[in-house]
Amino acid sequence: DAKTTQPPSMDCAEGRAANLPCNHSTISGNEYVYWYRQIHSQGPQYIIHGLKNNETNEMASLIITEDRKSSTLILPHATLRDTAVYYCIVSGSYNTDKLIFGTGTRLQVFP
Amino acid sequence: EPEVTQTPSHQVTQMGQEVILRCVPISNHLYFYWYRQILGQKVEFLVSFYNNEISEKSEIFDDQFSVERPDGSNFTLKIRSTKLEDSAMYFCASSAEAGGSYNEQFFGPGTRLTVL
């Protein structure tokens, strides 16, 4: 599975957009970019995933560059409850479905 | 909204004892997983399970570990002889499908295992 690189921490003001970057320069053609988050010590929570097109759901938007070597997760209006560790995971090889978590980005939303 | 449940929420055991961690995955899901997270460290994959057999396991998942789906609803992780280094949060997850674009895994709240 391709390795991902994320900044260790970011801050965001409540109500503003949080833009979390991820580099995955070794991603292969059939691999997807997944985003999960972990609030305090709770179980990880799925947010969104994509292959090459931009994706949006009720939680977030995912922007993937044309060369697929990087992506950005956007929380359009961050709230205090969005404070969490966000993980960018490349997955989707057809012979494995395990998720490989890195250290993620610790997002702190402040009032 | 359906969710994965885990029991107990906290388990304390003596080194060398056997523990069984229990999980009830989402009812129509077919793929089941265990992960663990040592305090302050990354979430680590342990094992995946499908069609009543292990489909993949990590190096951590040695002979001391086993998984079972004893009935149609429960999914268990057994540690035969616990070690101090097994102290961690153990997360169960399930998914309806797997691989490719279907790797949306739903995680339970975790069982905190403390080995004394």
Side-chain angles (χ1 to χ4, degrees), chain B residues 25-100:
Chain B
I26 294 173
S27 64
N28 62 343
H29 284 186
L30 301 175
Y31 298 82
F32 314 111
Y33 313 86
W34 285 100
Y35 293 81
R36 79 171 187 190
Q37 186 173 32
I38 296 170
L39 187 63
Q41 297 187 23
K42 300 178 190 178
V43 177
E44 301 173 288
F45 168 79
L46 292 178
V47 66
S48 58
F49 190 87
Y50 168 69
N51 202 24
N52 274 323
E53 61 183 27
I54 291 173
S55 46
E56 189 173 3
K57 60 184 180 180
S58 72
E59 292 176 355
I60 303 168
F61 194 90
D62 61 20
D63 292 345
Q64 293 300 311
F65 291 87
S66 62
V67 289
E68 193 178 32
R69 188 154 163 82
D71 52 43
S73 60
N74 290 286
F75 180 50
T76 62
L77 174 69
K78 182 194 290 186
I79 309 175
R80 274 182 251 288
S81 177
T82 50
K83 308 185 190 74
L84 296 177
E85 54 265 37
D86 293 328
S87 294
M89 183 75 92
Y90 288 80
F91 295 108
C92 172
S94 69
S95 63
E97 301 184 60

Side-chain angles (χ1 to χ4, degrees), chain A residues 30 32 34 36 38 40-46 49 87 91-103, chain B residues 31 33 35 37 42-45 48 55-56 89 91 98-110 112:
Chain A
N30 63 343
Y32 287 72
Y34 282 79
Y36 283 76
Q38 187 175 25
H40 194 45
S41 298
Q42 298 176 24
Q45 177 190 23
Y46 166 83
H49 74 281
Y87 300 100
S91 180
S93 299
Y94 284 93
N95 61 351
T96 180
D97 46 12
K98 67 185 177 196
L99 295 174
I100 300 176
F101 289 82
T103 52
Chain B
Y31 298 82
Y33 313 86
Y35 293 81
Q37 186 173 32
K42 300 178 190 178
V43 177
E44 301 173 288
F45 168 79
S48 58
S55 46
E56 189 173 3
M89 183 75 92
F91 295 108
S101 68
Y102 304 113
N103 215 357
E104 180 182 348
Q105 297 181 18
F106 293 79
F107 285 76
R112 180 168 298 285

